[in-house]
Amino acid sequence: MDMSKLIKWLLIAVSVVVVAVIALVAAVVLLFDPDDYRDELAAALTKATGRTVTVEGPLSLKLFPWLAIDTGSISVANAPAFGDEPMLSLTRASAAVKIAPLLSRRIEVGNVTVSGLTANLAVRGDGVTSWDDIVERLGADSQSAEDSGPEAATGLDISIAGIDLVDAQVRYADNGSGAVYTLSDVNLSADSVDLEAPIPLRGNLAFEAQAEAISGAVEFTTIATIGDDVSFAEVSLNGNVAGEPFAGEQSFTLGSELVAMNSAQNTLDVNAGQFTFGPLTGAFDLGGSGPADPLALRGRLKLEPFVVRELTDALKIDPIETADATVLQTVSIDGALAITFESAAFSDIVAVVDDTRIEGAFAITNFASGRMMFQLVGDEINLDRYLPPAEDAEIAADASDALAETALPVDLLRGLNAEGTLQFGRLTLGDLPFSSLKLGLKVADSKARLAPIKATVLNGAYEGDVRIDASGKQPTLSLNERVSGLDMGALASQLFERDNIEGTFAGQFQLGGVGETLADIRSSLNGDVSFALTDAVLTGTDVWYEIRRARALFKRETPPPAPAEPATRMTNLTGTAKVSNGVATNNDLYAELPFLQFTGDGTVNLADATVNYGLDARVLERPEFLTDASAEELDAYTEAVIPLKITGELAAPKIAPDIEGMARAAAKEKIDAEKDRLKRRLLDKLIDGDEAEAGEEGEEEEEGDIEDELKKRLKDLFGG
């Protein structure tokens, strides 16, 4: 056969095939009714899912050049014990397949549209979900297909022109907790879907969390790649959220260069993530196992500088009121992040709060209990600036008074479960500068313990153990504190703005009180105190001058001239005290001055910081510096006990001789001298009379009678 005849017969054969195909298509269109197979379709889907599948509405079929199908509503029944409402339903679905490529085992699908898809998903209290049985059945079928070997593969090349999900809704209910989450108005579009190439996606949805009273809307775009790994590149999400936790509608954004998931290895990676929420702007990277159980992600989180008040306003949180309104204006955080379903840890932290840099680690070790652990180290902070503002302007001007009016953080303690350590290179509180501060903190069951506390303050050392118990109606505070080597002059200057005292102070305080504020607690303190002041100088008062002036007034003599720069030096001052209801009672005050010794007792009112003491001064030897004193005056000092009184403010006490006490002492001295004279005379008479009457009675009996008679006559004479 020659070539021309071959071509002729081939053309005839092709013509016959084309005519046959056209005839077949015409016959299908004219004779086939898709509705005749609606029940068969429902039965097949029911068998595949194990659920009752209902196909309603007309089915339509179009042929050439596309094989197109259009359905009415379809529903899949829910699992037993999950209600009568269908688990899945849709109002319309349509799809088209190009016929010609089928001859070469290539499937070219046109636009696939699904409208009105509704999914009602639920989980019971025991963890069983409404879709468990379907997943198990489909998983078994998938395993059977895999077991059949490579020969079962179709080898088909599939592409889809586009997918449109229109007006979908997903409802998820946790029947155990009662929480309900809803996605509504869900619209999703995918163009040029090729399982071997990236797929551009775009969409929008609305969301609602009923229990949290939160709702909002989201728009998103991304490029998806589907294979062994599923990834989303160039993720961009923009939305808004409103509800009970927020002050009005808040906008937010979320983006990432790449989000990659591998279901076989259960891994998730988020690269170069960025987000904004209200005043917050941040960046993050995460990677690890997830999002399914077990979740274990690690990465880094960075918050750009933000203003705390703007964040509290956005979250409808009461603003943090501070004594200094300019603080909390710049806060930033950077650190390594680790997250599981049970815990979250933030390590390698670098945080900046205004002018303070803080480094360390923080973790919530258990979400269920709220247990927190921390180790933080800061460089320098003035806590007085962060205290609540005092209502009274005069109190606000004095940091120590403002501290006294500060309420204990009762509400915070009652909901806190935390343990950790805090260190600062320098910390100011109540105008006192602490350096090298180390503090341990443990809070649980509405009780807090700050221990150990160690710091250097005013050239001295401080150690403390502070406990707060907020488990009762009234919070209690207990202190066990020790100070040594404290610069008393610096203390008076810092707390009371006084420069009238110098010296080195040491003390120990074991105290406890009840009240809402530190001032209330100070008024109710009970406990024990011991103190020592060495190498002290009290300027503004000269004890020797006051003694000499008081003696001159008492003797009605001309007082000596006042010193140009009055001052009193003390080499040592010690004592202990019992504290009751905010008043310290001291019965063993002892002080040594040049040429003088003081003993006495008195009280210190801790609530109003006032003192009231009575002292007795004894001159140990003649003071050499009193060059203008007469010999009589010097002799009087060495023979007398001089009473003094200390009264007034603790920061600036007034020391003066007790004139009334001096008068009483002089009167008592005369009375005692007269008593001694009368006793001697009476004793002489008794002895003379008793010798005449006693005769030859024994000496011991005579002495006993004399003693008894002496007591009787003294009683009669002096009234007992």
Side-chain angles (χ1 to χ4, degrees):
M1 183 180 294
D2 59 23
M3 184 61 67
S4 61
K5 289 184 178 181
L6 178 60
I7 294 174
K8 180 180 178 180
W9 282 108
L10 287 176
L11 291 175
I12 293 173
V14 170
S15 300
V16 171
V17 171
V18 170
V19 171
V21 170
I22 293 174
L24 177 61
V25 170
V28 170
V29 172
L30 293 174
L31 301 176
F32 178 72
D33 184 359
D35 276 335
D36 293 340
Y37 296 92
R38 185 170 57 197
D39 293 341
E40 284 80 354
L41 176 61
L45 293 174
T46 297
K47 182 178 180 182
T49 62
R51 302 280 186 86
T52 300
V53 178
T54 303
V55 180
E56 298 178 353
L59 297 177
S60 63
L61 182 66
K62 297 179 182 179
L63 295 173
F64 203 80
W66 295 88
L67 174 61
I69 187 169
D70 199 339
T71 75
S73 62
I74 301 176
S75 64
V76 179
N78 221 327
F82 284 96
D84 298 330
E85 193 173 11
M87 187 186 79
L88 294 173
S89 65
L90 56 88
T91 57
R92 178 179 175 272
S94 63
V97 179
K98 205 169 187 177
I99 294 177
L102 293 175
L103 300 176
S104 60
R105 301 185 65 80
R106 175 172 174 78
I107 300 177
E108 293 185 12
V109 182
N111 257 37
V112 178
T113 302
V114 178
S115 300
L117 174 66
T118 299
N120 290 300
L121 309 176
V123 58
R124 297 192 319 213
D126 59 3
V128 176
T129 70
S130 58
W131 62 89
D132 279 347
D133 57 329
I134 294 180
V135 173
E136 183 178 354
R137 180 182 291 266
L138 295 179
D141 293 342
S142 175
Q143 185 64 42
S144 298
E146 292 179 6
D147 292 343
S148 62
E151 64 274 8
T154 61
L156 296 178
D157 183 8
I158 302 175
S159 66
I160 304 174
I163 297 175
D164 290 308
L165 182 64
V166 181
D167 195 23
Q169 176 174 296
V170 179
R171 183 179 184 274
Y172 174 82
D174 187 335
N175 296 334
S177 66
V180 177
Y181 304 94
T182 303
L183 302 180
S184 60
D185 299 325
V186 180
N187 296 284
L188 175 66
S189 295
D191 297 332
S192 303
V193 178
D194 187 337
L195 298 183
E196 296 181 357
I199 305 169
L201 298 175
R202 62 185 180 276
N204 62 274
L205 58 87
F207 60 88
E208 180 182 10
Q210 292 184 6
E212 292 80 6
I214 295 175
S215 62
V218 174
E219 295 181 353
F220 59 89
T221 62
T222 187
I223 300 174
T225 301
I226 300 174
D228 292 337
D229 293 332
V230 177
S231 64
F232 300 90
E234 301 178 23
V235 178
S236 176
L237 184 150
N238 299 275
N240 57 75
V241 63
E244 182 61 29
F246 309 108
E249 187 175 273
Q250 303 294 323
S251 62
F252 62 89
T253 65
L254 180 64
S256 173
E257 290 184 1
L258 181 66
V259 178
M261 294 178 287
N262 186 302
S263 58
Q265 299 179 4
N266 190 35
T267 60
L268 170 67
D269 290 286
V270 182
N271 298 330
Q274 309 95 32
F275 68 91
T276 65
F277 174 82
L280 291 181
T281 299
F284 63 95
D285 288 280
L286 287 174
S289 63
D293 236 349
L295 176 70
L297 300 177
R298 292 184 177 274
R300 195 159 193 90
L301 172 66
K302 181 178 182 180
L303 290 178
E304 298 296 337
F306 64 93
V307 179
V308 172
R309 178 177 287 276
E310 293 179 358
L311 180 61
T312 57
D313 288 346
L315 297 178
K316 206 161 65 175
I317 299 173
D318 291 338
I320 302 173
E321 300 294 344
T322 56
D324 185 348
T326 66
V327 299
L328 300 178
Q329 295 296 306
T330 305
V331 178
S332 64
I333 303 173
D334 186 8
L337 188 64
I339 303 174
T340 71
F341 281 122
E342 293 81 22
S343 63
F346 203 30
S347 59
D348 193 22
I349 295 174
V350 176
V352 177
V353 181
D354 299 320
D355 300 325
T356 301
R357 179 184 174 93
I358 300 173
E359 300 180 358
F362 173 85
I364 301 176
T365 60
N366 187 285
F367 289 138
S369 66
R371 178 70 170 168
M372 293 183 289
M373 304 289 289
F374 63 90
Q375 290 182 334
L376 301 174
V377 179
D379 53 4
E380 182 175 356
I381 189 170
N382 185 343
L383 284 185
D384 291 334
R385 301 173 64 196
Y386 298 86
L387 292 175
E391 297 180 2
D392 190 300
E394 294 182 0
I395 291 178
D398 191 327
S400 61
D401 287 341
L403 180 63
E405 294 301 320
T406 300
L408 293 180
V410 174
D411 293 336
L412 176 63
L413 295 181
R414 286 174 178 165
L416 193 61
N417 186 354
E419 184 174 0
T421 59
L422 183 65
Q423 298 182 46
F424 273 98
R426 183 177 176 87
L427 181 145
T428 301
L429 179 61
D431 271 349
L432 291 179
F434 295 87
S435 59
S436 302
L437 172 68
K438 296 181 180 180
L439 181 150
L441 173 66
K442 184 175 183 179
V443 183
D445 302 324
S446 301
K447 299 177 181 179
R449 183 180 183 186
L450 284 72
I453 311 174
K454 294 185 177 181
T456 299
V457 55
L458 302 178
N459 300 323
Y462 168 86
E463 295 184 16
D465 185 340
V466 179
R467 306 187 188 199
I468 302 174
D469 187 345
S471 60
K473 292 182 179 180
Q474 285 280 343
T476 63
L477 174 70
S478 62
L479 311 170
N480 186 352
E481 301 176 298
R482 294 172 298 280
V483 294
S484 60
L486 195 68
D487 186 336
M488 194 65 183
L491 179 66
S493 176
Q494 293 286 349
L495 292 185
F496 308 109
E497 297 183 355
R498 306 274 187 174
D499 57 359
N500 61 335
I501 191 169
E502 298 177 6
T504 302
F505 180 80
Q508 184 165 346
F509 312 90
Q510 293 180 321
L511 300 168
V514 179
E516 298 289 342
T517 68
L518 295 181
D520 295 336
I521 291 173
R522 190 166 58 186
S523 299
S524 65
L525 284 176
N526 295 284
D528 297 291
V529 172
S530 63
F531 56 88
L533 180 63
T534 57
D535 299 327
V537 178
L538 180 64
T539 59
T541 299
D542 188 323
V543 171
W544 269 110
Y545 168 73
E546 295 296 339
I547 291 174
R548 297 184 65 193
R549 187 175 69 88
R551 177 188 174 281
L553 292 175
F554 186 73
K555 295 286 189 179
R556 297 182 180 181
E557 298 174 354
T558 301
E565 297 180 356
T568 298
R569 295 185 177 275
M570 288 183 288
T571 56
N572 190 33
L573 173 68
T574 62
T576 61
K578 287 284 186 181
V579 181
S580 177
N581 296 323
V583 177
T585 301
N586 168 217
N587 294 320
D588 61 353
L589 186 70
Y590 175 83
E592 292 181 354
L593 286 71
F595 309 103
L596 282 174
Q597 183 184 84
F598 288 96
T599 58
D601 54 43
T603 60
V604 177
N605 190 315
L606 301 177
D608 58 17
T610 58
V611 297
N612 186 4
Y613 265 84
L615 303 178
D616 288 335
R618 290 176 173 80
V619 179
L620 302 178
E621 56 182 308
R622 294 191 177 194
E624 299 172 354
F625 58 86
L626 293 182
T627 57
D628 59 341
S630 65
E632 179 184 359
E633 181 182 355
L634 294 175
D635 290 340
Y637 292 144
T638 57
E639 296 174 357
V641 175
I642 306 165
L644 293 94
K645 298 193 76 170
I646 302 178
T647 58
E649 299 179 9
L650 181 60
K654 297 178 181 178
I655 303 176
D658 185 357
I659 302 297
E660 182 180 349
M662 293 176 69
R664 285 198 305 268
K668 184 177 183 299
E669 183 178 354
K670 291 183 178 180
I671 292 173
D672 289 342
E674 183 63 19
K675 283 184 178 180
D676 289 340
R677 187 182 65 81
L678 291 174
K679 287 179 182 178
R680 285 195 298 271
R681 289 181 58 188
L682 180 60
L683 184 59
D684 291 340
K685 291 181 179 181
L686 288 173
I687 292 174
D688 292 340
D690 289 338
E691 287 178 350
E693 296 176 0
E696 296 180 354
E697 293 181 0
E699 181 179 347
E700 292 182 2
E701 182 179 350
E702 179 180 352
E703 290 179 355
D705 291 341
I706 291 173
E707 183 178 350
D708 292 339
E709 184 65 21
L710 176 60
K711 290 180 180 179
K712 179 176 179 301
R713 296 189 185 186
L714 285 174
K715 183 176 180 181
D716 294 339
L717 180 61
F718 296 104

